[in-house]
Amino acid sequence: MTAEIAILNRTAVALAADSVVTLSDGRRHKTYDSAEKIFEFSRYQPIALMIYNNAQFMNTPLEVIIREYREKLTTNTFKSLVQVWPEFEKYLLSFKRGQEDELDHFRGMVLREVKEIKSQVLTYVLSSMGKRSRKPRESVQDFIVRQCGLRKVEAEQSPLKDFLADVKPEQFREIYGAAVIDVAKGTKLEISPDIETALCDMMFAVIKSNQKSAAFTGLVFTGFGTEELFPTLSSVEIDGVYFNQFRVLATNLIDIDRRGETAAIVPFAQQDMPERFMQGIDGEFEAALESLCLSMVGQIVDQNKRAFRNGKADLIKAAVAEEFRDGLDRLKKKNSDDLLSVVNHLSKKELGEVAYSLVELTSRKRRYSNDLETVGGPIDVAILTKNEGFIWVRRKHYFDIALNPRYDPKRNR
């Protein structure tokens, strides 16, 4: 995992990122604490790219691909920042790769689903032992087929818009069916023709859903287009390539303007500490507090059933829940608005200091708690402005610059 932050106002953009990164193909994971996550995307325009979660694309480090793409850019390529991702997407899709590179990611998703089904089969078999029933017990094969069908229906409840809309299940099985069966056989799952079909149909639904795998990659583009006076941020989360289409899970656009949104603090990956700083509370604590409040109200109402007849008890519980959420949202918005009103007037240097502090705060929280240290290492900080361009404020090096006089920092950014 990682912790990253982007802070924007009408003057500049500040980026900060820790150095822990995960290299993954969906099945195997390896973490390092010396990774680069912030890159100068163009030598000719003030545009940066920040990456999080999986730092590989088709078994190639993203930093290699980004630097290769940067060499191909010429001056004034992008009039606006929203043009950056579509162009980079084309480059990634044209990146030389084999079918096995694509299947590595897919196999990771299949493995997770098959393991879950195997766990359900074990529970079913153990619960059926020793039971006597007049009805014939469902066979394990029928149980697996039924569970695949239930998982398929669940995945179909949250589809990705327009993703693989023209692809038929038969086409999917033709290309990916063998990989599904290989993974299932590798886990010793019982296989039959009906199970093979059910597994493939289930995986087709999962791939078309918004379920996130462990090997997704987050890309954050920010900076200035040639025709933009104020900065823009565009982020996208990608999770594999299927039928030469990116499986895009989420997108976000922050467009700083003179009268609309004039400042923004945008955390990525692990967001609990930035959320506390910005809103006064993080999502996990908010959920626990809401559960506690509703539980107390429920107990009071249930203990006075005579006073709440004709369904009034449920109405009161629902009203309290709605009022709690509305009140908490108002408090969070006030806290966030007060902070953004200050960020709106921060200098370039102060933007960098705040960005650094938020990542450092997350790192310290992981270090001095029972949580795994998924954030750590040196923190890199970069500032982008319309005139000065991309400026490093803090940057780690794997070598001593004094010992390498031939190193050209402008060329190797």
Side-chain angles (χ1 to χ4, degrees):
M1 290 295 287
T2 186
E4 298 177 357
I5 198 85
I7 304 180
L8 302 83
N9 64 15
R10 288 171 293 184
T11 303
V13 182
L15 301 175
D18 73 322
S19 297
V20 172
V21 72
T22 302
L23 299 181
S24 170
D25 60 8
R27 295 178 295 168
R28 300 174 297 273
H29 307 279
K30 180 68 175 177
T31 59
Y32 299 89
D33 63 358
S34 58
E36 295 184 62
K37 302 178 184 179
I38 302 175
F39 302 91
E40 184 181 26
F41 192 73
S42 170
R43 301 190 191 283
Y44 305 98
Q45 291 182 254
I47 298 175
L49 170 57
M50 188 163 60
I51 61 176
Y52 61 93
N53 203 53
N54 186 18
Q56 286 197 130
F57 175 73
M58 298 300 159
N59 295 320
T60 302
L62 267 171
E63 65 174 277
V64 174
I65 299 175
I66 294 168
R67 291 190 169 106
E68 186 70 17
Y69 179 77
R70 185 173 60 195
E71 297 301 319
K72 300 179 183 297
L73 291 179
T74 58
T75 182
N76 299 334
T77 302
F78 306 107
K79 293 182 179 179
S80 63
L81 192 96
V82 294
Q83 298 174 341
V84 177
W85 163 240
E87 291 300 317
F88 191 55
E89 179 184 23
K90 293 177 185 177
Y91 180 77
L92 290 178
L93 290 176
S94 66
F95 183 75
K96 187 176 180 181
R97 62 187 187 273
Q99 187 178 22
E100 283 300 310
D101 294 321
E102 293 186 11
L103 289 177
D104 275 345
H105 180 277
F106 176 67
R107 289 190 182 103
M109 297 191 69
V110 177
L111 183 61
R112 183 168 68 174
E113 298 295 334
V114 172
K115 282 184 175 179
E116 178 62 28
I117 290 176
K118 280 203 66 177
S119 175
Q120 294 169 351
V121 170
L122 180 61
T123 302
Y124 172 71
V125 172
L126 292 176
S127 65
S128 301
M129 293 175 64
K131 286 187 176 181
R132 294 182 179 181
S133 175
R134 295 180 180 178
K135 296 182 179 179
R137 189 169 67 91
E138 185 180 28
S139 70
V140 171
Q141 289 191 2
D142 290 342
F143 177 80
I144 293 173
V145 170
R146 182 164 62 85
Q147 292 303 312
C148 288
L150 293 173
R151 181 68 181 98
K152 175 186 173 184
V153 171
E154 179 187 359
E156 289 174 342
Q157 302 304 311
S158 54
L160 290 173
K161 185 178 180 181
D162 299 328
F163 181 64
L164 302 185
D166 299 329
V167 177
K168 305 297 182 184
E170 297 78 15
Q171 295 173 278
F172 180 83
R173 285 197 293 269
E174 181 180 351
I175 296 178
Y176 297 97
V180 174
I181 305 310
D182 286 346
V183 173
K185 289 181 177 179
T187 61
K188 309 300 182 183
L189 183 72
E190 188 171 343
I191 294 294
S192 71
D194 288 343
I195 290 177
E196 291 180 3
T197 301
L199 283 172
C200 289
D201 290 346
M202 176 192 73
M203 286 310 305
F204 187 41
V206 169
I207 291 302
K208 293 175 65 177
S209 75
N210 61 8
Q211 176 179 316
K212 186 182 296 185
S213 78
F216 80 94
T217 297
L219 303 172
V220 182
F221 303 90
T222 188
F224 302 78
T226 57
E227 297 182 358
E228 292 178 317
L229 184 61
F230 304 120
T232 302
L233 181 146
S234 174
S235 65
V236 59
E237 290 183 350
I238 56 177
D239 199 5
V241 177
Y242 299 89
F243 293 91
N244 207 40
Q245 298 180 46
F246 269 113
R247 186 166 177 263
V248 178
L249 300 176
T251 59
N252 187 29
L253 179 67
I254 305 292
D255 188 11
I256 299 300
D257 204 348
R258 66 184 67 190
R259 293 194 177 277
E261 199 167 13
T262 59
I265 301 177
V266 192
F268 297 96
Q270 299 190 43
Q271 304 179 11
D272 52 339
M273 296 309 293
E275 282 181 349
R276 290 188 191 183
F277 181 77
M278 294 162 54
Q279 302 174 349
I281 187 172
D282 64 76
E284 183 178 352
F285 192 80
E286 178 182 345
L289 188 62
E290 179 179 352
S291 176
L292 177 63
C293 176
L294 298 184
S295 176
M296 292 172 60
V297 172
Q299 291 177 12
I300 294 173
V301 171
D302 292 339
Q303 290 172 1
N304 296 273
K305 292 182 179 181
R306 293 183 179 180
F308 305 104
R309 297 178 178 177
N310 301 323
K312 291 182 179 179
D314 291 336
L315 291 175
I316 290 175
K317 292 178 183 179
V320 170
E322 183 178 358
E323 184 62 29
F324 176 87
R325 296 189 190 100
D326 289 346
L328 197 57
D329 287 343
R330 287 193 297 270
L331 291 174
K332 289 161 56 179
K333 187 176 186 306
K334 181 182 183 304
N335 197 71
S336 180
D337 288 346
D338 290 345
L339 178 60
L340 290 178
S341 67
V342 175
V343 172
N344 189 34
H345 302 288
L346 290 180
S347 67
K348 296 184 283 289
K349 179 181 178 182
E350 291 169 328
L351 286 176
E353 290 173 349
V354 173
Y356 175 87
S357 298
L358 290 177
V359 175
E360 171 72 6
L361 189 62
T362 306
S363 177
R364 294 292 179 182
K365 170 64 166 58
R366 294 295 182 276
R367 185 170 182 81
Y368 301 122
S369 70
N370 293 327
D371 298 329
L372 292 175
E373 290 189 46
T374 51
V375 179
I379 297 174
D380 292 333
V381 181
I383 304 289
L384 291 93
T385 63
K386 181 74 171 178
N387 297 320
E388 287 88 6
F390 185 101
I391 301 294
W392 285 109
V393 178
R394 292 173 177 263
R395 189 188 185 191
K396 61 182 172 291
H397 283 287
Y398 64 91
F399 59 89
D400 188 342
I401 296 180
L403 300 177
N404 295 270
R406 292 177 295 175
Y407 172 74
D408 181 359
K410 291 184 178 180
R411 179 161 181 78
N412 292 278
R413 289 187 292 194

